[in-house]
Amino acid sequence: MKISFKTLGCKLNQYETQLLREMAEDSPFNTTSFVKGADIYVINMCSVTMNAVQQSRNIIRRARKMSQNARIIVTGCYPVEMENLPEVDTFIPNAQRQSFFQRLFNSQKTRISTFKNHTRAFVKIQTGCNKFCSYCIVPYFRKNEYSRPQDEIRKEITSLIRNRFKEITLTGVHIGRYNNNGRNLVQLLKEIEHIPHLEKIRLSSLNPEEITNELIDTVASSSKICHHFHLSLQSGDRNVLNSMGRNYEPGYAAGLIARIKNQMSDCGIGADVIVGFPSETVQCFQNTYNFIRNLPFTYLHVFRYSPRKGTLAAILPNSVHD
């Protein structure tokens, strides 16, 4: 029986699809390319923006056109309204994914050992979010925060190294909030630094308030952790940040970036920025523009605000026209 996987969205989704793929390969299933005919299509979905939802709809419909008799399974972060799509046979929420696919593949696998079509492997250290920023739908899909045990993470990285992966990226919903039995992200980094033959460690995005002095010191002094931070900044305007439910001010983020560059002049710094948030005026936008222009950012990921049903921001007044 042939099975095909398709992933949309973040590094965490990509990691979770890789785990499903390896579970399938341990079973009688034969994995195949998405563009080829399959008996089962597994689509790991993203709903962070309306564009991502529309992409997912198109992929689901494409899968059905390729095979009228295939079983289409949708998992990941999908909105409730997607469950009305006639092309989909089965919807599996994130919380039920592991148990469902363990039964389907008759596999108890919980760790990856390779990463298809990548030279750098993503390693999940944490999932879930308890923050509920006003614009974000992720906490409703990912539920409460959970951090993987350090021993399990270490074993996974060791398996990847055996398969010639020399560089790993730590990923999750909020990796800066990693906490397993009182051990935080810095302690995890110091633990995995000592894994033999691991050459490079990268961090995925962090909220500004999660980048502590201890973390900056650890990255600066490490021979393995890349000098790179990606900030989930979202805005450089105080009022917009407040409406978003972000618990820091622009001045705090600016001071943080100054500390990073002071200790690591070669450090690459990126940021996510949302524009067109409800009630964002021309002056608010200009404040963000000036904030970014005056700081040593290496690159930006800029997103137009996308209303997500069920979030507080979706019902805020004074929406910004496209």
Side-chain angles (χ1 to χ4, degrees):
M1 185 173 287
K2 294 180 180 179
I3 187 167
S4 179
F5 296 90
K6 187 71 173 178
T7 312
L8 293 98
C10 63
K11 293 180 179 67
L12 185 55
N13 266 16
Q14 294 176 55
Y15 169 90
E16 288 167 345
T17 298
Q18 177 60 34
L19 178 57
L20 297 183
R21 185 181 290 112
E22 292 192 35
M23 291 169 72
E25 289 170 351
D26 282 349
S27 72
F29 289 93
N30 294 314
T31 58
T32 186
S33 166
F34 191 81
V35 297
K36 296 181 180 179
D39 300 296
I40 297 177
Y41 289 96
V42 178
I43 299 165
N44 197 358
M45 198 180 144
C46 173
S47 294
V48 168
T49 65
M50 280 302 297
N51 185 52
V53 173
Q54 189 55 51
Q55 278 185 296
S56 299
R57 289 178 189 271
N58 293 341
I59 286 168
I60 290 165
R61 286 166 180 156
R62 201 168 90 207
R64 180 55 71 208
K65 285 180 181 178
M66 285 190 290
S67 179
Q68 291 297 316
N69 298 319
R71 182 181 181 186
I72 296 178
I73 302 172
V74 170
T75 188
C77 300
Y78 60 85
V80 173
E81 57 266 28
M82 288 287 287
E83 295 181 356
N84 295 322
L85 281 185
E87 294 90 347
V88 180
D89 298 294
T90 310
F91 286 92
I92 306 298
N94 284 316
Q96 299 172 20
R97 179 175 48 231
Q98 187 76 4
S99 59
F100 174 85
F101 285 102
Q102 281 179 340
R103 293 193 301 272
L104 180 65
F105 300 136
N106 192 25
S107 170
Q108 296 300 310
K109 194 177 186 76
T110 58
R111 298 192 296 268
I112 65 170
S113 57
T114 186
F115 218 100
K116 185 177 174 65
N117 299 327
H118 283 70
T119 56
R120 174 194 307 161
F122 303 151
V123 173
K124 174 174 136 179
I125 66 168
Q126 182 272 350
T127 189
C129 178
N130 300 338
K131 300 290 283 185
F132 290 92
C133 297
S134 68
Y135 58 85
C136 187
I137 197 70
V138 171
Y140 301 93
F141 295 133
R142 290 285 179 178
K143 306 302 182 184
N144 292 334
E145 294 174 8
Y146 167 77
S147 298
R148 293 178 75 192
Q150 292 195 10
D151 186 56
E152 187 176 329
I153 295 167
R154 183 185 179 93
K155 287 177 181 177
E156 184 166 83
I157 294 171
T158 301
S159 294
L160 289 163
I161 291 168
R162 288 197 197 103
N163 284 316
R164 301 182 181 180
F165 285 87
K166 297 179 180 180
E167 181 174 346
I168 59 107
T169 299
L170 303 183
T171 190
V173 177
H174 268 307
I175 66 167
R177 291 171 65 83
Y178 177 88
N179 189 320
N180 184 267
N181 288 329
R183 307 194 75 184
N184 63 19
L185 178 61
V186 168
Q187 290 165 312
L188 173 65
L189 287 169
K190 290 179 178 178
E191 170 79 14
I192 64 178
E193 262 193 310
H194 298 297
I195 298 176
H197 310 297
L198 175 62
E199 295 182 5
K200 287 185 180 180
I201 304 165
R202 291 185 184 270
L203 300 172
S204 57
S205 64
L206 292 151
N207 279 356
E209 73 273 19
E210 297 165 0
I211 303 176
T212 62
N213 289 336
E214 185 185 23
L215 179 58
I216 296 171
D217 291 342
T218 300
V219 174
S221 63
S222 174
S223 61
K224 292 186 177 182
I225 306 171
C226 296
H227 288 187
H228 166 254
F229 284 99
H230 186 88
L231 277 63
S232 181
L233 178 69
Q234 311 310 356
S235 179
D237 179 81
R238 179 179 287 105
N239 291 330
V240 172
L241 285 171
N242 186 56
S243 294
M244 288 178 167
R246 309 291 283 178
N247 57 348
Y248 51 85
E249 294 198 352
Y252 176 84
L256 172 67
I257 292 166
R259 288 202 304 276
I260 293 170
K261 294 299 278 189
N262 184 54
Q263 287 194 242
M264 294 169 278
S265 60
D266 64 337
C267 190
I269 300 176
D272 294 329
V273 181
I274 295 172
V275 294
F277 192 75
S279 296
E280 182 177 8
T281 64
V282 172
Q283 186 59 55
C284 291
F285 175 86
Q286 195 64 42
N287 290 342
T288 295
Y289 177 86
N290 292 336
F291 176 82
I292 290 168
R293 183 183 61 183
N294 294 323
L295 288 168
F297 284 107
T298 311
Y299 64 92
L300 298 175
H301 291 168
V302 183
F303 303 88
R304 180 179 64 180
Y305 168 69
S306 182
R308 311 308 296 123
K309 184 178 179 181
T311 63
L312 177 60
I315 59 172
L316 288 177
N318 303 319
S319 61
V320 177
H321 192 279
D322 287 350

